[in-house]
Amino acid sequence: DTGVSQDPRHKITKRGQNVTFRCDPISEHNRLYWYRQTLGQGPEFLTYFQNEAQLEKSRLLSDRFSAERPKGSFSTLEIQRTEQGDSAMYLCASSPSRGQLNEKLFFGSGTQLSVL
Amino acid sequence: GQQVMQIPQYQHVQEGEDFTTYCNSSTTLSNIQWYKQRPGGHPVFLIQLVKSGEVKKQKRLTFQFGEAKKNSSLHITATQTTDVGTYFCAENTGNQFYFGTGTSLTVIP
């Protein structure tokens, strides 16, 4: 399977714990995006990378969230001191190139986070 | 970020009926993309429209971009149960993809 893969598929954690998610994009894709989606809403942008460089981070994103893409391949998203409001589906997506307007996103299956 | 609104939020149709979802923006859009998300699944790209007034078809699906490039529509003719899911429009600005709020379609057999 050469699609975008995310791990784990599901994560249940207690409030205050730290969690880390992993995303492996399609191998030749330079751009990697993280989105958050809650029930009945569209994907909400969190951050994106061009290769290993984190180019933009949502201003709405708490400092408890951090993302890395150290070698320009896989990425990790960490949430520290989780809160119940962090419960959501965390989607990773990748795109092939360098910000061209004809690009499309390829999504992974997501990590469903439940904070108890 | 930019807000792209979609209406309706939910739509229930009998199988065989038509369905339309509308995407509206207060600002001119560079382009419009449409994605489909099946229940329990992830968004999957359907199509992109770029030109003012552009119309594209994919079998029973017809996509339209408004003349002013501020709105778009997706029309499904004679819905089938396989059409169930949430349909999102999105704008690709070159750096960002801004998603609409989505329309959830239920098809009643």
Side-chain angles (χ1 to χ4, degrees):
Chain A
D1 185 348
T2 57
V4 178
S5 62
Q6 291 187 245
D7 184 68
R9 289 295 305 275
H10 304 275
K11 179 70 176 178
I12 301 173
T13 191
K14 292 184 179 178
R15 188 174 51 189
Q17 298 293 307
N18 298 345
V19 293
T20 301
F21 311 141
R22 176 179 170 126
C23 172
D24 287 85
I26 295 172
S27 59
E28 63 269 22
H29 284 188
N30 296 316
R31 287 208 165 183
L32 186 149
Y33 298 79
W34 284 99
Y35 285 86
R36 175 170 59 191
Q37 187 177 28
T38 54
L39 199 61
Q41 299 296 315
E44 174 195 4
F45 170 77
L46 296 179
T47 188
Y48 84 93
F49 294 83
Q50 174 79 34
N51 298 312
E52 67 275 9
Q54 187 173 18
L55 296 188
E56 189 171 341
K57 185 175 177 181
S58 170
R59 286 170 291 176
L60 301 176
L61 201 60
S62 162
D63 290 342
R64 298 183 295 104
F65 287 69
S66 61
E68 294 182 341
R69 195 183 182 195
K71 298 180 180 179
S73 55
F74 74 92
S75 175
T76 57
L77 176 68
E78 181 183 18
I79 309 174
Q80 295 183 329
R81 304 180 303 282
T82 52
E83 301 173 357
Q84 288 185 326
D86 298 331
S87 296
M89 174 72 80
Y90 289 83
L91 292 165
C92 175
S94 66
S95 65
S97 194
R98 295 170 179 79
Q100 297 170 2
L101 293 179
N102 62 350
E103 289 182 18
K104 60 186 181 184
L105 289 176
F106 295 79
F107 282 90
S109 298
T111 294
Q112 181 67 53
L113 173 66
S114 298
V115 181
L116 304 179
Chain B
Q2 292 155 255
Q3 187 76 22
V4 181
M5 301 303 296
Q6 278 185 255
I7 54 171
Q9 187 175 6
Y10 302 97
Q11 183 81 59
H12 292 68
V13 299
Q14 289 287 144
E15 188 173 17
E17 291 181 340
D18 293 356
F19 160 77
T20 305
T21 173
Y22 301 90
C23 182
N24 298 297
S25 172
S26 58
T27 59
T28 302
L29 299 165
S30 305
N31 52 65
I32 197 80
Q33 299 185 345
W34 286 92
Y35 290 77
K36 177 183 178 181
Q37 186 172 21
R38 294 181 184 275
H42 55 275
V44 174
F45 175 83
L46 295 177
I47 207 162
Q48 174 166 293
L49 306 171
V50 178
K51 300 176 184 176
S52 169
E54 188 171 9
V55 178
K56 288 188 177 180
K57 293 190 176 184
Q58 288 180 350
K59 296 182 181 179
R60 294 178 294 103
L61 277 60
T62 302
F63 304 84
Q64 191 162 8
F65 202 7
E67 293 288 343
K69 299 182 73 173
K70 288 186 175 182
N71 56 73
S72 180
S73 64
L74 158 59
H75 179 83
I76 303 178
T77 303
T79 54
Q80 301 175 358
T81 54
T82 52
D83 296 325
V84 164
T86 302
Y87 293 85
F88 295 100
C89 60
E91 181 192 16
N92 175 10
T93 65
N95 292 321
Q96 274 264 27
F97 290 77
Y98 292 98
F99 282 82
T101 47
T103 295
S104 175
L105 172 64
T106 300
V107 179
I108 304 164

